[in-house]
Short mmCIF file of all heavy atoms in Angstrom, two decimals:
data_model
loop_
_atom_site.label_atom_id
_atom_site.label_comp_id
_atom_site.label_asym_id
_atom_site.label_seq_id
_atom_site.Cartn_x
_atom_site.Cartn_y
_atom_site.Cartn_z
N VAL F 1 0.81 -1.19 -0.07
CA VAL F 1 0.09 0.01 0.02
C VAL F 1 0.80 1.18 -0.01
O VAL F 1 0.60 2.21 -0.72
CB VAL F 1 -0.93 0.09 1.18
CG1 VAL F 1 -1.66 1.34 1.43
CG2 VAL F 1 -2.02 -1.08 1.07
N CYS F 2 1.99 1.31 0.79
CA CYS F 2 2.91 2.45 0.86
C CYS F 2 3.54 2.65 -0.39
O CYS F 2 3.75 3.88 -0.91
CB CYS F 2 3.92 2.21 1.88
SG CYS F 2 3.16 2.34 3.67
N VAL F 3 3.98 1.54 -1.08
CA VAL F 3 4.61 1.70 -2.39
C VAL F 3 3.79 2.22 -3.47
O VAL F 3 4.11 3.22 -4.21
CB VAL F 3 5.26 0.39 -2.83
CG1 VAL F 3 5.75 0.45 -4.32
CG2 VAL F 3 6.44 -0.09 -1.91
N VAL F 4 2.54 1.72 -3.50
CA VAL F 4 1.55 2.21 -4.50
C VAL F 4 1.15 3.68 -4.16
O VAL F 4 1.09 4.44 -5.14
CB VAL F 4 0.35 1.34 -4.40
CG1 VAL F 4 -0.89 1.96 -5.30
CG2 VAL F 4 0.65 -0.05 -5.00
N ALA F 5 0.97 3.97 -2.92
CA ALA F 5 0.64 5.38 -2.63
C ALA F 5 1.82 6.34 -2.94
O ALA F 5 1.59 7.48 -3.43
CB ALA F 5 0.23 5.54 -1.13
N SER F 6 2.96 5.92 -2.71
CA SER F 6 4.08 6.69 -2.87
C SER F 6 4.28 6.97 -4.45
O SER F 6 4.49 8.10 -4.91
CB SER F 6 5.32 6.04 -2.52
OG SER F 6 6.54 6.72 -2.90
N ALA F 7 4.06 5.93 -5.31
CA ALA F 7 4.07 6.13 -6.75
C ALA F 7 2.89 7.06 -7.26
O ALA F 7 3.26 7.98 -8.07
CB ALA F 7 3.99 4.76 -7.38
N GLY F 8 1.83 6.94 -6.69
CA GLY F 8 0.67 7.82 -7.02
C GLY F 8 0.97 9.28 -6.63
O GLY F 8 0.66 10.22 -7.53
N CYS F 9 1.51 9.47 -5.45
CA CYS F 9 1.98 10.86 -5.02
C CYS F 9 2.96 11.44 -5.99
O CYS F 9 2.91 12.64 -6.35
CB CYS F 9 2.48 10.83 -3.64
SG CYS F 9 1.09 10.54 -2.42
N GLY F 10 4.03 10.65 -6.33
CA GLY F 10 5.04 11.07 -7.32
C GLY F 10 4.41 11.46 -8.60
O GLY F 10 4.88 12.55 -9.20
N SER F 11 3.46 10.78 -9.08
CA SER F 11 2.76 11.04 -10.32
C SER F 11 2.04 12.40 -10.23
O SER F 11 2.08 13.15 -11.19
CB SER F 11 1.86 9.93 -10.75
OG SER F 11 1.19 10.25 -11.90
N LEU F 12 1.38 12.58 -9.12
CA LEU F 12 0.62 13.83 -8.86
C LEU F 12 1.53 14.95 -8.92
O LEU F 12 1.32 16.06 -9.37
CB LEU F 12 -0.24 13.75 -7.64
CG LEU F 12 -1.45 12.85 -7.80
CD1 LEU F 12 -2.14 12.81 -6.49
CD2 LEU F 12 -2.35 13.35 -8.83
N ARG F 13 2.68 14.88 -8.12
CA ARG F 13 3.64 15.91 -8.01
C ARG F 13 4.25 16.26 -9.43
O ARG F 13 4.47 17.42 -9.75
CB ARG F 13 4.69 15.59 -7.05
CG ARG F 13 4.38 15.59 -5.70
CD ARG F 13 5.52 15.62 -4.71
NE ARG F 13 6.28 14.34 -4.77
CZ ARG F 13 6.14 13.21 -4.11
NH1 ARG F 13 5.10 13.09 -3.36
NH2 ARG F 13 6.89 12.23 -4.45
N ARG F 14 4.54 15.18 -10.30
CA ARG F 14 5.00 15.38 -11.59
C ARG F 14 4.02 16.23 -12.53
O ARG F 14 4.44 17.18 -13.01
CB ARG F 14 5.28 14.06 -12.30
CG ARG F 14 5.76 14.17 -13.72
CD ARG F 14 5.98 12.91 -14.49
NE ARG F 14 4.63 12.13 -14.45
CZ ARG F 14 3.57 12.42 -15.26
NH1 ARG F 14 3.70 13.44 -16.16
NH2 ARG F 14 2.54 11.62 -15.25
N MET F 15 2.70 15.83 -12.43
CA MET F 15 1.68 16.49 -13.21
C MET F 15 1.65 17.96 -12.67
O MET F 15 1.45 18.87 -13.59
CB MET F 15 0.40 15.85 -13.03
CG MET F 15 0.37 14.48 -13.80
SD MET F 15 -1.07 13.47 -13.58
CE MET F 15 -2.43 14.51 -13.18
N GLU F 16 1.58 18.25 -11.43
CA GLU F 16 1.53 19.61 -10.85
C GLU F 16 2.77 20.50 -11.23
O GLU F 16 2.62 21.62 -11.63
CB GLU F 16 1.27 19.62 -9.37
CG GLU F 16 1.00 20.98 -8.73
CD GLU F 16 -0.12 21.77 -9.42
OE1 GLU F 16 -1.09 21.19 -9.86
OE2 GLU F 16 0.08 23.02 -9.63
N GLY F 17 3.92 19.83 -11.26
CA GLY F 17 5.17 20.60 -11.67
C GLY F 17 5.11 20.88 -13.02
O GLY F 17 5.55 22.08 -13.45
N GLU F 18 4.65 20.08 -13.97
CA GLU F 18 4.53 20.39 -15.41
C GLU F 18 3.48 21.46 -15.53
O GLU F 18 3.71 22.43 -16.27
CB GLU F 18 4.04 19.11 -16.07
CG GLU F 18 5.03 18.12 -16.30
CD GLU F 18 4.65 16.89 -17.08
OE1 GLU F 18 3.50 16.92 -17.69
OE2 GLU F 18 5.36 15.86 -17.06
N ALA F 19 2.36 21.41 -14.86
CA ALA F 19 1.34 22.38 -15.03
C ALA F 19 1.72 23.82 -14.48
O ALA F 19 1.42 24.83 -15.22
CB ALA F 19 0.03 21.96 -14.22
N GLU F 20 2.54 23.76 -13.41
CA GLU F 20 2.96 25.12 -12.81
C GLU F 20 4.05 25.72 -13.88
O GLU F 20 3.92 26.90 -14.06
CB GLU F 20 3.66 24.81 -11.58
CG GLU F 20 4.19 26.01 -10.86
CD GLU F 20 3.05 27.13 -10.58
OE1 GLU F 20 1.94 26.74 -10.43
OE2 GLU F 20 3.54 28.37 -10.60
N TYR F 21 4.85 24.95 -14.41
CA TYR F 21 5.83 25.33 -15.39
C TYR F 21 5.08 26.10 -16.67
O TYR F 21 5.42 27.12 -17.05
CB TYR F 21 6.71 24.30 -15.85
CG TYR F 21 7.80 24.76 -16.72
CD1 TYR F 21 9.08 25.10 -16.32
CD2 TYR F 21 7.64 24.76 -18.06
CE1 TYR F 21 10.12 25.57 -17.05
CE2 TYR F 21 8.71 25.13 -18.96
CZ TYR F 21 9.93 25.57 -18.51
OH TYR F 21 10.82 25.96 -19.26
N LEU F 22 4.08 25.31 -17.13
CA LEU F 22 3.35 25.77 -18.23
C LEU F 22 2.66 27.08 -18.00
O LEU F 22 2.70 28.06 -18.65
CB LEU F 22 2.30 24.74 -18.71
CG LEU F 22 2.84 23.58 -19.47
CD1 LEU F 22 1.66 22.66 -19.83
CD2 LEU F 22 3.50 23.98 -20.71
N ARG F 23 2.08 27.20 -16.83
CA ARG F 23 1.34 28.34 -16.40
C ARG F 23 2.29 29.64 -16.30
O ARG F 23 2.04 30.66 -16.80
CB ARG F 23 0.70 28.23 -15.02
CG ARG F 23 -0.67 27.57 -15.07
CD ARG F 23 -1.39 27.63 -13.77
NE ARG F 23 -0.73 26.98 -12.65
CZ ARG F 23 -0.93 25.74 -12.26
NH1 ARG F 23 -1.74 24.99 -12.93
NH2 ARG F 23 -0.27 25.30 -11.19
N GLN F 24 3.56 29.37 -15.76
CA GLN F 24 4.46 30.50 -15.61
C GLN F 24 4.93 30.88 -17.01
O GLN F 24 5.28 32.06 -17.15
CB GLN F 24 5.65 30.03 -14.78
CG GLN F 24 5.32 29.86 -13.34
CD GLN F 24 6.43 29.34 -12.53
OE1 GLN F 24 7.51 29.05 -13.03
NE2 GLN F 24 6.30 29.18 -11.23
N HIS F 25 5.15 29.95 -17.95
CA HIS F 25 5.70 30.39 -19.23
C HIS F 25 4.82 30.91 -20.24
O HIS F 25 5.16 31.47 -21.24
CB HIS F 25 6.63 29.21 -19.74
CG HIS F 25 7.90 28.99 -19.09
ND1 HIS F 25 8.07 28.44 -17.79
CD2 HIS F 25 9.19 29.46 -19.34
CE1 HIS F 25 9.21 28.54 -17.40
NE2 HIS F 25 9.96 29.22 -18.36
N VAL F 26 3.57 30.69 -19.98
CA VAL F 26 2.50 31.29 -20.98
C VAL F 26 1.80 32.44 -20.41
O VAL F 26 1.11 33.13 -21.16
CB VAL F 26 1.50 30.26 -21.48
CG1 VAL F 26 2.07 29.00 -22.16
CG2 VAL F 26 0.57 29.79 -20.30
N TYR F 27 1.97 32.72 -19.18
CA TYR F 27 1.28 33.76 -18.42
C TYR F 27 1.41 35.07 -19.17
O TYR F 27 0.43 35.75 -19.43
CB TYR F 27 1.74 33.89 -16.95
CG TYR F 27 0.88 34.91 -16.22
CD1 TYR F 27 -0.37 34.58 -15.81
CD2 TYR F 27 1.46 36.17 -15.92
CE1 TYR F 27 -1.13 35.47 -15.13
CE2 TYR F 27 0.65 37.03 -15.15
CZ TYR F 27 -0.57 36.68 -14.80
OH TYR F 27 -1.38 37.54 -14.23
N ASP F 28 2.61 35.62 -19.37
CA ASP F 28 2.82 36.92 -20.01
C ASP F 28 3.24 36.79 -21.45
O ASP F 28 3.92 37.69 -21.92
CB ASP F 28 3.84 37.61 -19.19
CG ASP F 28 3.41 38.16 -17.86
OD1 ASP F 28 2.29 38.41 -17.73
OD2 ASP F 28 4.28 38.16 -16.92
N TYR F 29 2.95 35.67 -22.08
CA TYR F 29 3.34 35.52 -23.50
C TYR F 29 2.74 36.56 -24.42
O TYR F 29 1.55 36.83 -24.29
CB TYR F 29 3.08 34.11 -24.02
CG TYR F 29 3.94 33.75 -25.21
CD1 TYR F 29 5.16 33.27 -24.87
CD2 TYR F 29 3.53 33.95 -26.46
CE1 TYR F 29 5.92 32.90 -26.06
CE2 TYR F 29 4.26 33.59 -27.51
CZ TYR F 29 5.50 33.13 -27.32
OH TYR F 29 6.31 32.76 -28.33
N ASP F 30 3.55 37.22 -25.30
CA ASP F 30 3.00 38.22 -26.19
C ASP F 30 3.47 37.74 -27.70
O ASP F 30 4.54 36.93 -27.72
CB ASP F 30 3.42 39.69 -25.87
CG ASP F 30 4.94 39.84 -25.75
OD1 ASP F 30 5.68 38.98 -26.19
OD2 ASP F 30 5.22 40.82 -25.25
N TYR F 31 2.85 38.15 -28.65
CA TYR F 31 3.07 37.74 -29.99
C TYR F 31 3.52 38.96 -30.83
O TYR F 31 2.93 40.01 -30.67
CB TYR F 31 1.73 37.24 -30.61
CG TYR F 31 1.29 35.93 -29.87
CD1 TYR F 31 0.52 36.02 -28.73
CD2 TYR F 31 1.64 34.65 -30.32
CE1 TYR F 31 0.11 34.95 -28.05
CE2 TYR F 31 1.23 33.55 -29.66
CZ TYR F 31 0.36 33.68 -28.51
OH TYR F 31 -0.04 32.59 -27.90
N ASP F 32 4.39 38.75 -31.73
CA ASP F 32 4.85 39.72 -32.64
C ASP F 32 4.05 39.51 -34.04
O ASP F 32 4.69 39.43 -35.10
CB ASP F 32 6.40 39.54 -32.89
CG ASP F 32 6.93 40.76 -33.75
OD1 ASP F 32 6.31 41.77 -33.71
OD2 ASP F 32 7.99 40.59 -34.28
N VAL F 33 2.71 39.52 -33.92
CA VAL F 33 1.85 39.43 -35.08
C VAL F 33 0.75 40.37 -34.85
O VAL F 33 0.46 40.76 -33.69
CB VAL F 33 1.29 37.93 -35.34
CG1 VAL F 33 2.34 36.93 -35.54
CG2 VAL F 33 0.44 37.62 -34.11
N PRO F 34 0.04 40.90 -35.88
CA PRO F 34 -0.99 41.69 -35.76
C PRO F 34 -2.16 41.15 -34.97
O PRO F 34 -2.31 39.89 -35.06
CB PRO F 34 -1.55 42.01 -37.20
CG PRO F 34 -0.34 41.68 -38.10
CD PRO F 34 0.46 40.64 -37.32
N LEU F 35 -2.89 41.92 -34.18
CA LEU F 35 -4.00 41.41 -33.37
C LEU F 35 -5.00 40.66 -34.20
O LEU F 35 -5.51 39.66 -33.81
CB LEU F 35 -4.64 42.48 -32.52
CG LEU F 35 -5.72 42.12 -31.60
CD1 LEU F 35 -5.14 41.09 -30.57
CD2 LEU F 35 -6.29 43.34 -30.94
N ASP F 36 -5.32 41.15 -35.39
CA ASP F 36 -6.28 40.52 -36.26
C ASP F 36 -5.81 39.06 -36.68
O ASP F 36 -6.57 38.14 -36.55
CB ASP F 36 -6.47 41.32 -37.55
CG ASP F 36 -7.23 42.52 -37.40
OD1 ASP F 36 -7.83 42.70 -36.35
OD2 ASP F 36 -7.13 43.48 -38.24
N THR F 37 -4.52 38.83 -36.86
CA THR F 37 -4.01 37.59 -37.10
C THR F 37 -4.10 36.59 -35.98
O THR F 37 -4.51 35.51 -36.08
CB THR F 37 -2.57 37.71 -37.67
OG1 THR F 37 -2.53 38.43 -38.80
CG2 THR F 37 -1.97 36.31 -38.09
N LEU F 38 -3.66 37.15 -34.81
CA LEU F 38 -3.73 36.31 -33.61
C LEU F 38 -5.18 35.92 -33.27
O LEU F 38 -5.49 34.79 -32.89
CB LEU F 38 -3.22 37.15 -32.48
CG LEU F 38 -3.07 36.47 -31.05
CD1 LEU F 38 -2.27 35.23 -31.05
CD2 LEU F 38 -2.56 37.38 -29.97
N TRP F 39 -6.14 36.86 -33.34
CA TRP F 39 -7.48 36.61 -33.03
C TRP F 39 -8.15 35.59 -34.01
O TRP F 39 -8.82 34.65 -33.56
CB TRP F 39 -8.30 37.89 -33.03
CG TRP F 39 -9.72 37.72 -32.64
CD1 TRP F 39 -10.89 37.87 -33.44
CD2 TRP F 39 -10.20 37.34 -31.39
NE1 TRP F 39 -11.94 37.60 -32.67
CE2 TRP F 39 -11.70 37.27 -31.42
CE3 TRP F 39 -9.62 37.10 -30.14
CZ2 TRP F 39 -12.34 36.92 -30.27
CZ3 TRP F 39 -10.39 36.77 -28.98
CH2 TRP F 39 -11.75 36.66 -29.07
#
């Protein structure tokens, strides 16, 4: 039970680490294209 729970917690931490990284790197992203093109 401990081994399975540990693996599950590691997987959740991995997913949250990935999500946090993505949020930080797209948060202030800006584009060098006209607004009409982006929209």
Side-chain angles (χ1 to χ4, degrees):
V1 168
C2 289
V3 168
V4 170
S6 175
C9 289
S11 178
L12 289 174
R13 285 192 303 269
R14 178 188 55 77
M15 288 173 27
E16 185 54 37
E18 288 179 11
E20 180 62 27
Y21 184 93
L22 286 176
R23 282 192 296 268
Q24 289 175 358
H25 283 80
V26 303
Y27 185 75
D28 288 324
Y29 200 85
D30 56 17
Y31 299 83
D32 190 23
V33 297
L35 184 60
D36 288 339
T37 302
L38 180 64
W39 185 248

